[in-house]
């Protein structure tokens, strides 16, 4: 029955059995926290403390604590918002788009990638909410009847579309992630020895028994959720890009923005997934599940989207000149050669040049090189948003209002703080939730593991080819 | 009333699928099969009908579309019309993004809530697993025992001859 593909590498190595998968994934959930994890969490908590302090300063003294001025009224806040939302794209892309494309390599990374999505969107949401200045009135963005004679929100504004897009994206991703977690929580529940763990995981696993009927519905729900989440993930960054594209600022008012932003989002998202996965597989010894094949596949996505982003940078530069609009042309020349040239060239180096190294197979399959390049991409994508936002705003039509932007310590604090918040959430997730989707990995084990799993041949029925079993690749040769 | 089950324990999905077919062919009614992961093809051999959840998703999505369009048209077109950016009051193209998002939101949540209800998924401490290994690495076929009519020895033999590694009996207290 075991089919060894001559082309594809196995997705699960080390000759695992079903029980090994349970053991390997449940290990860090059940064991006492290890020192490395505790140290990492402690560092993240310092970041979280910085976040809380910076938010306190922002709310108590107001937005004046940030480095914004009359000309550059949007800077680090929106840069960080778009950066985090972009990172948040990979999770749903991996779990939804790759599910529709039947890419089995998604199975062992989708759980952590979706967790990353959810945490990244939480971090992203902090910035627009804090920028409101009075976040306790954040509900004003919703179309609720009010005392102004029911003056409604403006449905023509991309900023309002963003409210709907981000909140829908967050809640649908959360539900998708949770549905996948239910069977795995049940596995932990049935193994739990302590009274607290047993009760906690019993509640989380929602009475899941793993009956065939439940699995059948589970599969249907996953497929439909993937189907609706796929256009959703594309719509989110499209709408984020419209925040800029529908305005008349030179450098923003371009039709290329939606696809360019979506490609950039996938690019940065996969980079962050790689950063996290390389740390996770090392820390929790999951090298048999997150294999070289996984890393290489993700690197191929990086090189594809990185090249799309490169083409987009070139195209917008060319069109700025070709359009003959002097303001547009100036915005781009100013980006590359003006006072923010260093940001522009950091972006170009990190996003366009370094990912091209992945054309070399050796680099694509090197953990160290991948880790370093993924950090470069994360940095580059931050600079991309900074370049688009700040360089376009700081010199617009009226030279008398030209200004420079420099971040205040609180700007930096909020940004570094969200990284702390993100990693705090991620490390807590790693400890208490199964980081690899056990059920899905078990489902691909027979068709895609390295060695035939140990099974007593007593029945003699092993390999009775039943056409009904589509899970296993039947080899008729 | 207590219910009594005979549990055939399997450790391979292909053996299980064949066993299900043979057990059903022998005229035995299978109460339920518990597996650690979704097995493709089990729906056919067990005779599980295609789920109607996609229809629920479609109807909920349709509701979302209608609700979103009605909301925006009513609010900006009739309740408090305003000229925004020189656009007409009923600027349908700029209502599309919110309409799309609400369609997806309603479809997803409507379907998932229905899934939870019909599958009896709810936070509870009283979980009744017939065999706890079925969330780990074993496949459990449960057959309900009817007092007086079920021949336990024959059933056990049937299950074992179809590859069961263990055959257990389990009583569930209501």
């Amino acid at each position: 029955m075991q089919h060894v593909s001559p082309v594809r590498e196995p997705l699960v190595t080390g000759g695992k059995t079903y029980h090994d998968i349970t053991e390997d994934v449940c290990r860090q959930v059940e064991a006492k926290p290890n020192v490395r994890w505790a140290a990492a969490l402690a560092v993240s908590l310092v970041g979280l403390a910085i976040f809380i302090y910076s938010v306190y300063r922002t709310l108590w003294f107001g937005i004046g604590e940030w480095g914004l001025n009359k000309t550059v009224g949007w800077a680090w806040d929106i840069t960080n918002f778009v950066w985090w939302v972009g990172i948040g794209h990979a999770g749903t892309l991996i779990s939804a788009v790759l599910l529709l494309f039947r890419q089995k390599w998604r199975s062992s990374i989708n759980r952590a990638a979706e967790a990353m999505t959810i945490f990244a969107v939480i971090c992203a949401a902090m910035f627009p909410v804090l920028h409101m200045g009075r976040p306790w009135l954040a509900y004003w963005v919703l179309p609720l009847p009010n005392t102004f004679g029911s003056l409604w929100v403006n449905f023509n504004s991309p900023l309002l579309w963003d409210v709907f897009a981000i909140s829908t994206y967050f809640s649908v991703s959360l539900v998708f992630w949770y549905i996948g977690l239910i069977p795995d929580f049940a596995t932990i529940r049935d193994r739990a020895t302590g009274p607290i763990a047993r009760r906690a995981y019993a509640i989380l696993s929602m009475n899941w028994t793993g009956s065939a009927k439940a699995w059948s519905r589970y599969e249907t729900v996953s497929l439909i959720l993937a189907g609706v989440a796929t256009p959703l993930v594309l719509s989110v960054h499209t709408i984020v890009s419209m925040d800029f594209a529908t305005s008349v600022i030179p450098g923003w008012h371009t039709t290329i923005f939606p696809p360019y932003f979506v490609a950039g989002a996938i690019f940065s998202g996969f980079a962050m997934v790689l950063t996290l996965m390389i740390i996770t597989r090392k820390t929790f010894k999951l090298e048999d599940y997150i294999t070289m094949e996984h890393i290489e596949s993700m690197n191929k996505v990086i090189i594809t989207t990185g090249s799309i982003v490169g083409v987009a940078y070139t195209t917008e530069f060319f069109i700025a000149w070709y359009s003959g609009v002097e303001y547009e042309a100036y915005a781009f020349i100013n980006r590359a050669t003006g006072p923010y040239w260093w940001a522009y060239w950091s972006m170009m180096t990190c996003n366009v040049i370094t990912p091209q190294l992945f054309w070399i197979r050796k680099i694509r399959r090197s953990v160290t090189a991948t880790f370093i390049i993924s950090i470069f991409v994360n940095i580059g994508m931050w600079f991309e948003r900074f370049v688009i936002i700040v360089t376009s705003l700081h010199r617009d039509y009226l030279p008398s209002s030209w200004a420079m932007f420099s971040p205040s310590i609180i700007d930096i604090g909020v940004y570094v703080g969200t990284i702390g918040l993100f990693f705090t959430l991620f490390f807590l997730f790693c400890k208490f939730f199964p980081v690899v989707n056990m059920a899905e990995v078990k489902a691909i084990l027979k068709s895609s593991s390295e060695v035939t799993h140990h099974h007593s041949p007593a029945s003699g029925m092993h390999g009775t080819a039943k056409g009904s079993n589509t899970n296993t690749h039947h080899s008729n040769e | 009333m207590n219910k009594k089950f005979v549990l055939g324990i399997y450790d391979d999905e292909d053996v299980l699928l064949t066993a299900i077919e043979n057990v059903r062919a022998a005229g035995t009614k299978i109460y339920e099969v518990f597996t650690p992961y979704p097995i493709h093809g089990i729906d056919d051999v067990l005779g599980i009908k295609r789920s109607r959840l996609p229809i629920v998703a479609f109807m909920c999505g349709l509701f979302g579309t209608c609700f979103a369009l009605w909301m925006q048209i009513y609010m900006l077109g009739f309740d408090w019309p305003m000229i925004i950016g020189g656009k007409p009051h009923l600027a349908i193209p700029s209502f599309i993004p919110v309409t799309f998002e609400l369609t997806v939101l309603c479809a997803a949540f409507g379907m998932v809530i229905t899934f939870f209800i019909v599958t009896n998924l709810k936070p509870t401490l009283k979980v009744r697993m017939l065999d706890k290994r079925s969330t780990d690495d074993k496949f459990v076929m449960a057959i309900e025992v009817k007092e007086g009519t079920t021949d336990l020895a024959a059933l056990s033999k049937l299950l074992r001859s179809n590859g069961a590694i263990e055959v257990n009996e389990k009583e569930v207290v209501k």
Side-chain angles (χ1 to χ4, degrees):
Chain A
M1 204 64 201
Q2 191 66 33
H3 176 62
V4 181
S5 164
V7 185
R8 294 195 188 283
E9 284 175 52
L11 294 173
V12 183
T13 57
K16 300 290 178 186
T17 63
Y18 296 131
H19 186 65
D20 290 340
I21 296 173
T22 312
E23 287 290 334
D24 289 345
V25 177
C26 292
R27 194 182 302 122
Q28 83 271 3
V29 178
E30 291 162 353
K32 286 217 158 56
N34 72 33
V35 180
R36 260 190 291 179
W37 176 84
L41 182 68
V43 174
S44 312
L45 286 172
V46 172
L48 185 63
I50 293 172
F51 178 70
I52 293 168
Y53 177 72
S54 310
V55 170
Y56 149 72
R57 286 281 298 260
T58 304
L59 296 185
W60 194 257
F61 297 104
I63 303 301
E65 289 289 286
W66 294 357
L68 302 176
N69 53 50
K70 235 180 94 195
T71 305
V72 187
W74 262 13
W76 272 45
D77 51 332
I78 191 88
T79 301
N80 300 334
F81 163 74
V82 182
W83 187 69
W84 277 120
V85 170
I87 287 169
H89 271 55
T92 308
L93 193 97
I94 288 173
S95 53
V97 180
L98 299 185
L99 177 78
L100 295 183
F101 285 144
R102 299 267 181 248
Q103 293 294 304
K104 288 186 175 171
W105 58 271
R106 58 177 275 285
S107 293
S108 48
I109 53 168
N110 67 350
R111 170 71 43 76
E114 277 180 62
M116 180 200 81
T117 286
I118 288 156
F119 305 147
V121 176
I122 291 173
C123 290
M126 295 299 165
F127 292 97
V129 170
L130 287 174
H131 201 173
M132 286 174 184
R134 292 181 290 169
W136 47 92
L137 297 180
Y139 68 90
W140 282 14
V141 302
L142 300 173
L144 298 170
N146 54 60
T147 51
F148 311 114
S150 260
L151 178 64
W152 302 108
V153 292
N154 178 10
F155 286 107
N156 295 303
S157 164
L159 294 176
L160 186 76
W161 303 346
D162 240 357
V163 171
F164 281 86
I166 305 276
S167 47
T168 302
Y169 183 58
F170 177 74
S171 40
V172 172
S173 300
L174 189 68
V175 164
F176 201 1
W177 184 59
Y178 193 74
I179 297 252
L181 275 164
I182 289 174
D184 281 1
F185 280 143
T187 304
I188 301 176
R189 170 198 70 201
D190 291 341
R191 290 165 51 91
T193 44
I196 298 169
R198 202 175 55 234
R199 291 197 174 90
Y201 289 109
I203 287 171
L204 285 171
S205 62
M206 309 260 289
N207 201 21
W208 178 264
T209 56
S211 72
K213 182 81 198 165
W215 275 121
S216 164
R217 292 192 184 118
Y218 169 95
E219 293 258 276
T220 308
V221 167
S222 302
L223 190 65
I224 301 287
L225 278 180
V228 296
T230 298
L232 180 64
V233 72
L234 301 180
S235 82
V236 173
H237 230 62
T238 299
I239 291 175
V240 168
S241 80
M242 286 172 181
D243 292 348
F244 305 101
T246 56
S247 72
V248 287
I249 303 290
W252 288 4
H253 190 62
T254 57
T255 49
I256 197 181
F257 262 29
Y260 158 29
F261 267 50
V262 170
I266 297 165
F267 181 54
S268 66
F270 270 76
M272 189 57 108
V273 172
L274 277 168
T275 311
L276 293 177
M277 285 294 110
I278 289 171
I279 300 172
T280 311
R281 79 198 276 268
K282 186 89 193 145
T283 319
F284 296 132
K285 298 189 179 61
L286 293 169
E287 283 96 341
D288 285 330
Y289 302 97
I290 302 158
T291 62
M292 237 27 256
E293 168 75 7
H294 289 97
I295 292 174
E296 194 181 0
S297 299
M298 287 192 269
N299 284 339
K300 285 175 184 167
V301 175
I302 296 237
I303 194 168
T304 312
T305 50
S307 305
I308 296 175
V309 166
V311 170
Y313 294 162
T314 324
T315 310
E316 62 174 1
F317 216 111
F318 170 76
I319 292 295
W321 164 76
Y322 188 67
S323 67
V325 180
E326 59 178 318
Y327 301 104
E328 199 70 29
Y330 178 75
F332 281 88
I333 289 165
N334 181 46
R335 274 183 194 178
T337 60
Y340 286 110
W341 63 273
W342 46 271
Y344 183 81
W345 292 106
S346 306
M347 163 187 104
M348 284 305 238
T349 316
C350 296
N351 289 352
V352 184
I353 298 165
T354 46
Q356 299 302 322
L357 291 171
F358 282 143
W359 286 108
I360 303 161
R361 188 159 195 268
K362 243 199 178 128
I363 293 177
R364 209 160 63 218
R365 295 182 67 86
S366 152
V367 177
T368 321
T370 303
F371 188 74
I372 293 167
I373 293 175
S374 76
I375 300 284
F376 267 91
V377 173
N378 286 324
I379 296 169
M381 285 308 291
W382 190 87
F383 274 112
E384 181 199 293
R385 278 66 180 252
F386 180 80
V387 165
I388 291 174
I389 291 155
V390 172
T391 65
S392 291
L393 282 177
H394 92 122
R395 290 185 177 177
D396 61 2
Y397 302 98
L398 198 61
S400 64
S401 60
W402 286 6
M404 291 294 285
F405 169 82
S406 53
S408 72
I409 191 85
I410 300 300
D411 267 319
I412 299 168
V414 178
Y415 174 54
V416 172
T418 48
I419 298 176
L421 170 67
F422 176 78
F423 277 98
T424 304
L425 292 169
F426 191 79
F427 286 128
L428 289 175
F429 155 77
C430 284
K431 178 66 191 75
F432 296 106
F433 286 19
V435 286
V436 169
N437 190 331
M438 291 186 272
E440 280 194 21
V441 173
K442 286 173 190 171
I444 62 162
L445 186 70
K446 271 193 103 174
S447 58
S448 204
S449 68
E450 196 170 50
V451 189
T452 311
H453 70 264
H454 321 290
H455 174 65
S456 63
S459 62
M461 312 215 21
H462 205 134
T464 317
K466 280 287 159 205
S468 53
N469 182 11
T470 53
N471 184 40
T472 312
H473 297 296
H474 291 285
S475 164
N476 296 322
E477 285 91 29
Chain B
M1 207 183 91
N2 293 357
K3 274 188 173 177
K4 206 170 158 195
F5 296 99
V6 169
L7 307 178
I9 316 283
Y10 295 82
D11 67 352
D12 184 277
E13 61 178 56
D14 298 313
V15 177
L16 175 77
L17 287 176
T18 322
I20 292 172
E21 280 189 316
N22 294 345
V23 168
R24 290 188 78 209
T28 313
K29 193 168 172 279
I30 296 172
Y31 175 76
E32 189 56 277
V33 177
F34 300 93
T35 62
Y37 58 84
I39 296 174
H40 289 250
I42 201 169
D43 297 10
D44 298 335
V45 293
L46 269 177
I48 295 176
K49 284 198 208 82
R50 224 182 131 124
S51 169
R52 283 166 295 176
L53 284 166
I55 301 169
V56 176
F58 179 79
M59 299 311 272
C60 292
L62 198 63
F63 167 77
T65 313
C66 298
F67 173 74
L69 280 175
W70 166 81
M71 175 178 80
Q72 296 174 87
I73 291 169
Y74 164 74
M75 287 175 181
L76 292 197
F78 297 97
D79 192 49
W80 190 305
M82 274 189 299
I83 295 174
I84 298 159
K87 296 187 190 85
H89 293 145
L90 292 182
I92 301 291
S94 64
F95 295 165
I96 296 303
V98 171
T99 308
F100 170 76
E101 302 299 336
L102 285 182
T103 305
V104 168
L105 189 72
C106 292
F109 273 79
M111 176 182 61
V112 167
I113 290 166
T114 316
F115 167 61
F116 283 171
I117 294 168
V118 296
T119 318
N120 194 25
L121 293 181
K122 59 188 178 203
T124 172
L125 287 172
K126 291 190 204 103
V127 186
R128 216 174 273 130
M129 292 293 290
L130 288 176
D131 191 314
K132 285 192 170 183
R133 291 172 299 174
S134 72
T135 54
D136 177 12
D137 61 346
K138 296 288 184 285
F139 308 84
V140 176
M141 188 197 294
I143 294 159
E144 196 176 344
V145 177
K146 300 216 169 58
E147 285 310 326
T149 52
T150 312
D151 182 354
L152 286 175
L155 185 56
S156 171
K157 198 161 156 257
L158 177 68
L159 292 174
R160 279 190 195 277
S161 68
N162 278 294
I165 53 162
E166 280 175 39
V167 177
N168 303 324
E169 280 176 40
K170 170 120 183 174
E171 210 166 303
V172 176
V173 184
K174 264 269 179 243

